[in-house]
Amino acid sequence: MTLSIETPALLFSATSLILLAYTNRFLTIAQIVRGLKKTYDQDRNKSILLEIKNLNLRLTLIRYMQLFGVLCLFLSVFGMLVLFFEQQVVGFYLFGFSLLCLLISLGISFWEISISVNALRLHLSDIVDEEKAKE
């Protein structure tokens, strides 16, 4: 089986956009954590501490999402270099590993989004419970 040097290059734009999205998520959550930390230092509210712990988990997941995204890009570039030197078998495996890293990154992203959605549902449950009580 032959693999052209252009095939691993297809991951560049997708991976770059994904990494940009991951970085934006990281920066947004980091800003929220900083604000919650100030509030927690003043109030010592247990629910704020739980939110901070949840956000800390999400930051850890985003770090792994970024790690596997960067590894995907690195393996793609390395695969292109190997293909340039006409080492088809090694290039084929490097490209396969880069795709696997991209899948892992996307899987972790789905996990992080699920945690986010569940946290928002919990956060909004008070409003839903109040509306049900009114009915």
Side-chain angles (χ1 to χ4, degrees), residues 6-122:
E6 294 88 13
T7 304
L10 294 173
L11 292 180
F12 283 6
S13 59
T15 306
S16 298
L17 288 173
I18 287 172
L19 289 173
L20 182 62
Y22 292 169
T23 300
N24 287 339
R25 286 161 77 173
F26 177 84
L27 293 173
T28 301
I29 292 173
Q31 184 178 5
I32 293 169
V33 167
R34 287 185 187 101
L36 286 174
K37 167 99 171 57
K38 284 182 185 177
T39 305
Y40 179 76
D41 287 342
Q42 294 169 353
D43 298 343
R44 298 286 182 200
N45 187 331
K46 187 176 179 180
S47 67
I48 292 174
L49 185 61
L50 292 173
E51 280 188 61
I52 291 172
K53 286 181 181 181
N54 178 285
L55 291 170
N56 187 40
L57 172 62
R58 290 179 57 201
L59 287 171
T60 301
L61 291 175
I62 291 171
R63 183 178 65 209
Y64 284 113
M65 289 160 37
Q66 290 173 325
L67 170 76
F68 282 103
V70 168
L71 194 55
C72 168
L73 196 55
F74 177 82
L75 290 171
S76 293
V77 172
F78 194 53
M80 287 175 61
L81 180 66
V82 168
L83 289 170
F84 178 76
F85 291 114
E86 298 180 5
Q87 299 294 317
Q88 282 291 316
V89 175
V90 176
F92 181 79
Y93 282 109
L94 286 172
F95 182 61
F97 285 131
S98 70
L99 290 175
L100 180 63
C101 288
L102 183 58
L103 281 173
I104 292 169
S105 178
L106 293 172
I108 296 170
S109 176
F110 181 76
W111 182 14
E112 190 270 332
I113 289 169
S114 298
I115 291 171
S116 174
V117 168
N118 288 335
L120 287 172
R121 284 186 180 150
L122 182 65

Side-chain angles (χ1 to χ4, degrees), residues 124-135:
L124 295 174
S125 65
D126 298 346
I127 297 171
V128 172
D129 291 343
E130 286 177 14
E131 289 299 314
K132 286 183 180 178
K134 288 180 182 177
E135 293 174 356

